[in-house]
Amino acid sequence: MILSAQTARKKLQRMALEVAERNAGKEALVLIGIKENGIHIAHVLASYLAINFKGSIEVISLELNKKMPAEITLDKTIDFNGKNILLIDDVANSGRTMMYALKPLLDKYPAQVETLALVERTHKQFPIAINYCGISVSTTAIQTIIVEVNGSEISGAYIR
């Protein structure tokens, strides 16, 4: 176990404070959570952000096949032009998922795009930097990190 439920909650609260600080004075944030666990993290983060961020917060779900990410769907259609975007996933491993998740934004003109992951691994194969990270873990290439979510609660993370 690398994160208990209590530790994950504290990490998300800390990251929400960081996001609020770095985005102070902005009118709105769009949180894009990558299904499955990223969207749960986005909703939890939005509730923590609402305490300290004075602007509006919108949460959108993004779905893609992480192995073959040809088709990417969003659960809402919004105009991303001039928006402040926070792309969220549970684990940042190679950077592939987050790189492909940027595809719907490529022909738009967001004001900024930042990334957040509860757990970051050190096996980047794509040029994606994580702006907000709960915990960074060095693992072997064959190990897998699992973030467990029960309902809307993050119950922890472990290495398998």
Side-chain angles (χ1 to χ4, degrees):
M1 194 73 147
I2 57 174
L3 285 177
S4 67
Q6 180 181 8
T7 305
R9 189 170 36 259
K10 286 180 181 179
K11 299 273 185 199
L12 288 166
Q13 288 170 338
R14 178 188 52 78
M15 288 189 291
L17 281 171
E18 285 183 56
V19 171
E21 283 178 0
R22 289 190 199 172
N23 290 281
K26 295 182 179 162
E27 291 181 22
L29 281 175
V30 177
L31 309 184
I32 301 176
I34 300 172
K35 279 191 172 178
E36 290 294 319
N37 291 344
I39 189 62
H40 296 298
I41 292 170
H43 283 293
V44 171
L45 193 73
S47 68
Y48 293 145
L49 265 172
I51 298 166
N52 294 302
F53 183 71
K54 303 303 178 205
S56 67
I57 301 165
E58 184 169 4
V59 178
I60 296 175
S61 176
L62 180 141
E63 188 170 2
L64 63 101
N65 178 331
K66 292 185 178 191
K67 302 282 188 224
M68 298 294 291
E71 187 176 320
I72 299 161
T73 57
L74 298 169
D75 70 340
K76 295 179 191 174
T77 303
I78 69 164
D79 179 11
F80 291 111
N81 292 317
K83 303 283 189 195
N84 298 293
I85 312 293
L86 182 59
L87 184 61
I88 301 168
D89 204 1
D90 58 348
V91 180
N93 185 20
S94 68
R96 174 193 302 267
T97 300
M98 285 208 181
M99 186 182 80
Y100 281 102
L102 292 170
K103 189 175 178 182
L105 305 173
L106 291 178
D107 60 346
K108 310 294 185 224
Y109 301 97
Q112 78 175 9
V113 177
E114 293 183 303
T115 56
L116 180 145
L118 182 59
V119 181
E120 178 183 27
R121 291 182 65 189
T122 56
H123 298 286
K124 295 288 179 287
Q125 297 167 332
F126 294 87
I128 296 293
I130 304 302
N131 300 100
Y132 308 96
C133 171
I135 186 172
S136 182
V137 179
S138 294
T139 62
T140 66
I142 60 171
Q143 291 176 309
T144 304
I145 295 178
I146 307 294
V147 173
E148 289 186 334
V149 177
N150 294 319
S152 62
E153 291 287 316
I154 289 104
S155 54
Y158 63 92
I159 298 174
R160 178 171 45 155

